[in-house]
Amino acid sequence: MSEQPKAGQLTLVAPRRGKPQRHLADLTMAERRAAVAELGEKPFRADQLSRHYFARLTETPEQMTDLPGGTRERLVAQLMPPLLTSVREITCDGGTTRKTLWKLFDGSLVESVLMRYPDRVTMCVSSQAGCGMNCPFCATGQAGLTRNMSTAEIVEQVVAGARALAAGQVPGGPGRITNVVFMGMGEPMANYKAVIGAVRRLVDPAPEGLGISARGVTVSTVGLVPAIEKLADEGLPVTLALSLHAPDDELRDTLVPINTRWKVSEVLGAAWRYAAKTKRRVSIEYALIKDINDQEWRADLLGRLLKGKLVHVNLIPLNPTPGSKWTASRPEDERAFVRRLESHGVAVTVRDTRGREIDGACGQLAAATPDS
């Protein structure tokens, strides 16, 4: 595990660690065919393997009856190695919210959360073990950054959730994942290449990927401006979620230390360029913290910055984390904040605090081991 960072300290480059074994989810379809050919097999076996992994959600070689016995054992060992081991699973909301603690090949721990609603199933995934952004109100940020995750390690979280749904293990009968949010552990934009690879695997149609609509995928960031600009050019119409948390530089420098690199005006400018290029509405994430960022004058300032833009504000009642001096806003202050934003014509909702009692809500993922 990484050392706890000092206040305001950023870690933009992940520590170098050993890499997990190559997995077909790390590769494009052309790369999978080449990898299979290198193993002395016909390239079409890559299509069969991909169909098992992404479409049929097959878990064991024994189920792959369309591949010859010896061949499938070898291909699975080389291209479908186990990447995540479930350490613990806890549920709430009658079993429809499930948080899983995963151990990676090197002992690193990450968490993912599956949330089933009447009209959709959302999977919240991690993109790094820990986080280097050091936001003081976020449990993940306090732990520091251990390492980046691979594309396949990110995708495997979604595939595991898809398997549980397909098998009817989540109350409500068999189902499928409709939405994926990169709001688990880590700063997705600081692990850009692996995250974009994962997004492509999620949205590519089967058997190349899982075939989830790009409009159902949300990539969150605290505001790495160059990466936002790059994402706008990827041709992926995913939703950009910007964790703003303060409309003024003075406060945001403390709450979101990356603001010392790129100020509010620069981050919002990049977000508006993203919206213009993709025609996708930007989501502004704003954790309401009692007596810190929930004043009506800050709501007015935020409203003036967002007025007339293709934007939606997602207010998040601050979720408690151990040892934190901060807590959620008073209900009356929350309501006043909403009214002020609406007076500027800005669309705003207050996020459902789903998973709070299992530390599975926004800002609570800390990947604690069962005995910690």
Side-chain angles (χ1 to χ4, degrees):
M1 186 53 88
S2 55
E3 285 183 26
Q4 195 163 334
K6 298 181 180 72
Q9 180 185 331
L10 293 164
T11 310
L12 290 168
V13 180
R16 282 197 172 277
R17 296 287 179 99
K19 290 185 175 180
Q21 191 179 338
R22 178 183 66 170
H23 189 285
L24 67 83
D26 288 310
L27 310 173
T28 65
M29 186 59 95
E31 290 167 339
R32 291 173 215 165
R33 289 176 185 140
V36 166
E38 280 169 26
L39 294 169
E41 296 292 340
K42 298 253 185 337
F44 77 87
R45 297 290 183 203
D47 299 57
Q48 291 176 300
L49 272 185
S50 298
R51 191 165 284 107
H52 277 293
Y53 184 72
F54 286 111
R56 296 179 187 158
L57 305 172
T58 309
E59 287 194 69
T60 62
E62 295 74 44
Q63 297 168 292
M64 303 179 186
T65 52
D66 55 342
L67 283 93
T71 299
R72 68 184 176 225
E73 298 286 348
R74 200 157 63 92
L75 288 179
V76 167
Q78 291 293 321
L79 289 169
M80 289 174 65
L83 296 175
L84 310 180
T85 304
S86 176
V87 175
R88 181 186 58 211
E89 189 167 276
I90 25 181
T91 65
C92 64
D93 302 316
T96 58
T97 299
R98 296 157 56 107
K99 182 175 80 163
T100 306
L101 174 67
W102 302 105
K103 183 189 267 185
L104 309 183
F105 82 100
D106 58 355
S108 298
L109 297 169
V110 299
E111 290 179 327
S112 63
V113 185
L114 183 151
M115 294 160 283
R116 185 172 205 163
Y117 300 88
D119 60 337
R120 69 191 187 282
V121 180
T122 298
M123 195 84 210
C124 177
V125 298
S126 294
S127 55
Q128 295 179 309
C131 183
M133 297 300 102
N134 203 8
C135 300
F137 56 89
C138 174
T140 315
Q142 297 314 288
L145 177 60
T146 300
R147 72 166 172 89
N148 282 334
M149 294 176 69
S150 69
T151 287
E153 286 174 327
I154 297 168
V155 172
E156 179 73 1
Q157 296 168 79
V158 183
V159 170
R163 284 176 179 150
L165 275 167
Q169 293 169 10
V170 182
R176 59 187 299 276
I177 289 167
T178 56
N179 298 72
V180 177
V181 295
F182 285 77
M183 293 181 177
M185 300 176 70
E187 162 54 50
M189 295 293 197
N191 187 17
Y192 188 87
K193 187 179 177 185
V195 164
I196 294 303
V199 171
R200 293 196 184 280
R201 297 304 102 77
L202 296 179
V203 304
D204 282 347
E208 292 189 34
L210 281 168
I212 296 169
S213 167
R215 290 173 174 269
V217 176
T218 298
V219 178
S220 174
T221 180
V222 291
L224 278 67
V225 168
I228 295 172
E229 306 277 15
K230 206 170 167 186
L231 182 63
D233 294 328
E234 293 284 354
L236 289 165
V238 299
T239 297
L240 175 71
L242 174 59
S243 297
L244 194 67
H245 306 309
D248 54 306
D249 287 324
E250 185 181 10
L251 179 58
R252 195 168 192 264
D253 282 351
T254 301
L255 292 183
V256 189
I258 199 71
N259 202 71
T260 58
R261 295 282 186 100
W262 295 287
K263 297 301 185 187
V264 170
S265 60
E266 295 173 88
V267 174
L268 288 178
W272 307 149
R273 287 189 290 277
Y274 182 86
K277 188 163 271 191
T278 62
K279 307 294 187 285
R280 300 289 290 140
R281 186 172 70 166
V282 172
S283 180
I284 299 291
E285 310 290 302
Y286 196 105
L288 281 174
I289 309 171
K290 180 183 172 185
D291 298 331
I292 301 294
N293 66 351
D294 61 355
Q295 302 88 349
E296 289 192 49
W297 70 264
R298 280 201 162 93
D300 270 329
L301 176 54
L302 184 61
R304 289 196 296 274
L305 290 173
L306 306 185
K307 187 170 186 166
K309 302 294 186 182
L310 190 60
V311 69
H312 172 267
V313 176
N314 202 359
L315 293 178
I316 308 160
L318 186 74
N319 292 303
T321 55
S324 175
K325 61 183 178 181
W326 291 328
T327 187
S329 299
R330 303 171 193 88
E332 59 270 25
D333 292 338
E334 180 186 289
R335 288 192 294 268
F337 204 94
V338 169
R339 281 196 303 272
R340 288 284 182 138
L341 283 176
E342 288 176 340
S343 73
H344 292 276
V346 175
V348 55
T349 50
V350 178
R351 183 186 286 176
D352 171 16
T353 55
R354 199 105 183 253
R356 180 184 278 194
E357 57 267 54
I358 56 170
D359 290 339
C362 184
Q364 289 187 312
L365 300 189
T369 51
D371 56 356
S372 63

